[in-house]
Amino acid sequence: MRTLLPKIKIKLLRLLKPLVQNYVPRRYILFIDSLLAFIALECSFFLINSVQGNTQVRFVLSWELAVMLGVQILSFILLKSYFGLVRFSSFRDVITQLKVTALAVFTILIINRIYYYYDAQKLILDAGVIVYGFISFSLLFFFRVLVKQVYKSIYPSKKNSVKAFIYGTDLKTLTTTEGLLSDHSEHFRIAGFIHSGKGALVNRIHNLPIYSLAELKQISKEASALIITEEKLKKLQLRRPHLVDELLELQLTIYKIAPPQNLEDRVDFKNLKEVKIEDLLQRNPIKINNPKLKERYTGKTILVTGAAGSIGSEIVRQLIPFNPGHIVLLDQAETPLHEISLELKKNHPQLSFSQVIANVRNQARLAEVFSQYKPQVVFHGAAYKHVPMMENNPIEALSVNFCGTCNLANLAGEYQVERFVFVSTDKAVNPTNIMGASKRSAEIYIQAQAKKQKQTTFIITRFGNVLGSNGSVIPHFKKQIAAGGPVTVTHPEITRYFMTIDEACQLVLEAGAMGNGGEIYVFDMGKPIKIINLAKQMIRLSGLVPNEDIAITYTGLRPGEKLYEELLADKETTLPTHHEKILIAEDTNYFNKTSGVMLQKFSQHIISNDIHLAFTTLKSLVPEYECHQQEEQLNKKQQAS
């Protein structure tokens, strides 16, 4: 007998394997549930007849049974209890079956009352209806348990599945866990729950242990991952950032997942993603609901310079929901422009756009573009921005960042563009490098144009570093970590403001819609972040230990680099706008004929490649610019010549 049972089990599993391996059509599940309901009804009628002393009746086929079965089938259909995969049944499915049974029982009891009122008898005794409900729910429940167990027997959890803890014991987290214990059991093996409060009310959930944070530090080696909902991660980062650092120090790979909107929904595990450094920014999400945006951008021809870059391409993506008439993508980088064009053709085939290869320093070429497309809105994001590289090539920084901006601003006025939005940088405030100074001088020129003519609304947006953008410290750190280190930081005290690309571009569109002309819009960048802390978090997110697995070395401040960035110049103050994250910087520059002549001379010196006169004029335009290193280099060149 002992040798016969395993053989029977193997044969049974072979017979059931094709059924559980494939997706059984819903109509078949509805048929099986209906058959189980029929069996429950037969059992109920048999029990009632037995109680009444009628033991001769063994099988019932009557119109009463047909009515009750019809009510049950209708309940299945209304609540769609036969949807989903039976082998992945979870607690939510139990609740659904309870609802189905309760609805059917309640409806049959009402029919009983109505029928009794007219005919002085019932379809079946009320007690029989209750018995039916109990038997029906039991059969439906055990059918799903049986299928689930058979599936687990045939397809046991993979040995290489990730062993993980679940952070949290609240209702939403438990709802998410239901799916992890069933739908994703082949990818994750849950080791337990982490309770961050003072003490859990129970010791186990789903027969899995609940650990405190202190206990987690002792048993963290028992699993390799931690799963947390997006909502809980954001709350921790805003309210208890030190706790996030503690979790990272445990060398667990942290996954985030969006919880279901309500308890009836299933979790989409395609959204289960590893936590990235962008997720750890201490910022609240931006909410933009400005009707002016549609008025400004819908149906308009919009020119975006630097459209192949990280900021320019994201501006293009965020313009698409406003249904622009046509977007002109202008960049001098051929391959990146081709790549963004392929993306737009694939994801937005209905979008009307053109690719233009052009250099913003070439005014004649830009004039052709303006003449051909006649843009109504211009977003100017093309610029050189690598600080050390521009320190070594100052004339190029001035040529692109200042002269290029002048060319576009002049053409915008000539072709009566409605709105011109200039994307500046926090490095333009009290600049210590040529990149920041070139951007500040471009801001001054834009403000001069705003005062000079009123056909075009000129707007300046100013913000700090953008996570993940081309040239950002984040991709640089990622490459260094992937190579095994070391991760290089210029100074232990250096700090920077950070925001995501998505966030920055949303605010650029918002500021571009609200401007009246000549304003400098400053974005709320949140709190400045120490670069050393950023590096440590990125190393921990990789499952490594800073200064053990990956070394961190200090290289010293680079030419023109500040320890701290600013968003407002010393003499500037800010005014609020309708958006809490956008402020207006009240500028202190006063323009007169001398200023206009100085700007013209500055442009001429740059075009003639006279770096000495260009620097002299730049110092007059931007007196707060500290250019000691550049002056030393110029003096050395003059002495050498």
Side-chain angles (χ1 to χ4, degrees):
M1 187 67 181
R2 291 181 178 177
T3 57
L4 184 62
L5 286 175
K7 293 180 180 179
I8 294 173
K9 181 180 178 182
I10 292 171
K11 289 183 178 180
L12 181 62
L13 292 178
R14 285 176 179 174
L15 288 172
L16 292 175
K17 185 172 182 177
L19 294 177
V20 297
Q21 186 175 13
N22 300 314
Y23 292 93
V24 179
R26 290 171 178 171
R27 62 180 181 274
Y28 292 164
I29 302 299
L30 177 60
F31 174 77
I32 294 172
D33 286 349
S34 302
L35 180 61
L36 294 174
F38 176 77
I39 294 172
L41 283 169
E42 288 291 344
C43 292
S44 302
F45 275 97
F46 173 76
L47 290 173
I48 293 299
N49 288 329
S50 298
V51 171
Q52 292 176 340
N54 185 7
T55 58
Q56 299 298 318
V57 180
R58 292 288 184 271
F59 187 72
V60 178
L61 281 177
S62 63
W63 68 269
E64 292 95 340
L65 183 143
V67 170
M68 295 174 69
L69 183 61
V71 169
Q72 183 67 72
I73 293 173
L74 186 61
S75 299
F76 289 144
I77 295 173
L78 288 175
L79 296 181
K80 300 179 179 179
S81 62
Y82 53 94
F83 278 49
L85 300 176
V86 177
R87 63 177 179 264
F88 292 148
S89 298
S90 63
F91 183 72
R92 286 191 299 275
D93 298 288
V94 176
I95 298 298
T96 301
Q97 295 303 327
L98 275 174
K99 289 181 179 179
V100 166
T101 305
L103 177 61
V105 168
F106 183 71
T107 305
I108 293 171
L109 288 173
I110 293 176
I111 294 174
N112 256 349
R113 289 285 180 271
I114 296 172
Y115 190 63
Y116 179 77
Y117 178 79
Y118 285 103
D119 204 356
Q121 65 177 358
K122 298 179 179 178
L123 296 175
I124 187 174
L125 293 177
D126 288 350
V129 178
I130 303 301
V131 171
Y132 161 71
F134 175 77
I135 297 174
S136 174
F137 172 75
S138 299
L139 289 176
L140 293 169
F141 174 76
F142 284 112
F143 164 66
R144 282 158 173 77
V145 170
L146 176 63
V147 173
K148 188 170 182 176
Q149 291 304 316
V150 170
Y151 180 79
K152 285 185 177 181
S153 299
I154 298 173
Y155 299 102
S157 296
K158 297 179 181 179
K159 292 183 179 180
N160 60 351
S161 58
V162 177
K163 197 172 182 180
F165 293 110
I166 300 288
Y167 186 89
T169 55
D170 57 277
L171 187 57
K172 279 193 174 182
T173 301
L174 294 179
T175 304
T176 305
T177 307
E178 282 289 339
L180 288 170
L181 292 170
S182 56
D183 295 34
H184 245 231
S185 57
E186 60 189 58
H187 299 290
F188 288 95
R189 288 176 292 144
I190 306 305
F193 297 86
I194 307 304
H195 182 70
S196 59
K198 295 181 179 179
L201 298 177
V202 294
N203 294 325
R204 300 181 77 85
I205 298 177
H206 292 297
N207 202 32
L208 292 169
I210 300 176
Y211 300 105
S212 66
L213 283 172
E215 291 172 324
L216 176 62
K217 294 178 181 179
Q218 298 174 0
I219 62 165
S220 60
K221 300 299 182 182
E222 294 184 11
S224 60
L226 179 75
I227 298 171
I228 186 170
T229 62
E230 286 185 353
E231 181 181 357
K232 194 173 293 294
L233 179 63
K234 289 176 182 177
K235 287 182 179 179
L236 285 180
Q237 187 60 22
L238 288 171
R239 300 174 187 175
R240 304 172 70 183
H242 65 282
L243 183 55
V244 177
D245 289 334
E246 289 180 18
L247 292 174
L248 290 173
E249 288 174 0
L250 298 176
Q251 294 180 264
L252 296 170
T253 302
I254 301 179
Y255 293 89
K256 64 173 182 175
I257 189 168
Q261 295 298 317
N262 55 68
L263 297 181
E264 301 300 323
D265 293 340
R266 287 189 177 274
V267 176
D268 184 1
F269 289 100
K270 293 180 181 178
N271 294 330
L272 188 67
K273 299 177 181 178
E274 286 190 35
V275 170
K276 298 180 180 178
I277 192 64
E278 289 87 346
D279 301 311
L280 302 184
L281 279 176
Q282 301 175 34
R283 303 185 62 81
N284 291 315
I286 288 179
K287 294 181 181 178
I288 288 183
N289 185 23
N290 186 354
K292 279 189 176 181
L293 268 68
K294 286 189 176 181
E295 177 187 337
R296 302 297 191 201
Y297 307 133
T298 300
K300 300 295 178 65
T301 298
I302 302 175
L303 169 64
V304 180
T305 71
S310 49
I311 298 296
S313 60
E314 184 60 26
I315 288 175
V316 171
R317 294 184 192 99
Q318 294 198 18
L319 282 170
I320 294 171
F322 298 104
N323 297 315
H326 190 80
I327 299 181
V328 182
L329 284 68
L330 187 147
D331 207 294
Q332 65 172 345
E334 175 192 14
T335 300
L337 187 60
H338 176 65
E339 289 173 354
I340 183 65
S341 301
L342 291 177
E343 176 192 323
L344 295 176
K345 288 176 182 177
K346 177 183 177 181
N347 299 334
H348 307 282
Q350 78 288 351
L351 179 67
S352 173
F353 71 93
S354 301
Q355 314 106 293
V356 174
I357 299 290
N359 190 316
V360 294
R361 290 177 289 193
N362 189 336
Q363 187 171 12
R365 173 63 175 142
L366 292 178
E368 290 179 358
V369 175
F370 274 78
S371 177
Q372 179 179 352
Y373 296 102
K374 295 180 174 56
Q376 296 160 285
V377 179
V378 174
F379 287 95
H380 177 37
Y384 281 143
K385 58 184 179 181
H386 290 272
V387 171
M389 193 174 294
M390 292 304 101
E391 287 297 290
N392 295 326
N393 300 275
I395 201 68
E396 291 297 313
L398 296 173
S399 178
V400 170
N401 295 353
F402 179 78
C403 292
T405 302
C406 295
N407 291 338
L408 286 160
N410 294 339
L411 288 167
E414 181 181 340
Y415 284 87
Q416 298 185 353
V417 169
E418 295 175 11
R419 309 186 78 76
F420 184 99
V421 184
F422 174 52
V423 179
S424 188
T425 172
D426 58 353
K427 292 177 177 60
V429 182
N430 296 325
T432 58
N433 53 69
I434 191 63
M435 197 284 279
S438 65
K439 280 287 194 176
R440 179 57 188 145
S441 60
E443 287 182 357
I444 294 170
Y445 190 85
I446 293 295
Q447 290 181 302
Q449 288 296 103
K451 295 178 182 296
K452 183 178 178 181
Q453 55 88 21
K454 301 298 181 182
Q455 295 94 337
T456 301
T457 301
F458 288 94
I459 300 149
I460 300 166
T461 61
R462 185 193 285 168
F463 52 90
N465 298 276
V466 178
L467 284 174
S469 65
N470 296 333
S472 165
V473 69
I474 304 301
H476 180 60
F477 281 171
K478 284 180 179 178
K479 290 179 181 178
Q480 290 182 326
I481 294 170
V487 171
T488 56
V489 179
T490 56
H491 192 282
E493 296 301 320
I494 192 168
T495 64
R496 289 292 181 267
Y497 291 98
F498 284 101
M499 67 188 340
T500 63
I501 295 176
D502 175 75
E503 187 179 19
C505 294
Q506 284 187 61
L507 293 176
V508 168
L509 294 187
E510 177 82 8
M514 71 169 69
N516 296 316
E519 308 98 331
I520 297 178
Y521 285 100
V522 181
F523 298 166
D524 173 15
M525 300 289 296
K527 297 178 180 178
I529 298 173
K530 273 192 173 185
I531 300 300
I532 182 62
N533 293 340
L534 193 69
K536 289 178 179 179
Q537 283 190 327
M538 289 187 66
I539 293 171
R540 292 186 184 118
L541 281 173
S542 302
L544 303 171
V545 179
N547 291 320
E548 290 185 16
D549 302 317
I550 300 289
I552 298 176
T553 60
Y554 298 105
T555 59
L557 290 175
R558 298 173 298 179
E561 188 174 34
K562 293 182 183 180
L563 269 181
Y564 311 100
E565 296 288 7
E566 306 159 273
L567 290 175
L568 292 174
D570 293 338
K571 296 181 180 179
E572 289 175 330
T573 57
T574 58
L575 297 173
T577 68
H578 73 273
H579 197 290
E580 60 180 3
K581 291 182 180 291
I582 303 178
L583 303 171
I584 299 176
E586 287 188 312
D587 196 58
T588 55
N589 279 301
Y590 297 96
F591 298 97
N592 49 39
K593 291 183 178 180
T594 304
S595 301
V597 171
M598 193 183 302
L599 287 168
Q600 289 181 357
K601 286 185 177 180
F602 184 45
S603 180
Q604 291 170 2
H605 297 326
I606 296 169
I607 293 171
S608 62
N609 209 38
D610 193 331
I611 188 63
H612 183 76
L613 289 177
F615 262 103
T616 302
T617 312
L618 179 60
K619 278 292 295 178
S620 300
L621 276 174
V622 188
E624 65 271 24
Y625 172 40
E626 299 176 8
C627 55
H628 305 302
Q629 181 175 353
Q630 289 293 344
E631 289 175 343
E632 289 177 6
Q633 291 180 358
L634 288 174
N635 291 332
K636 287 180 181 178
K637 287 182 179 179
Q638 286 182 339
Q639 290 173 4
S641 60

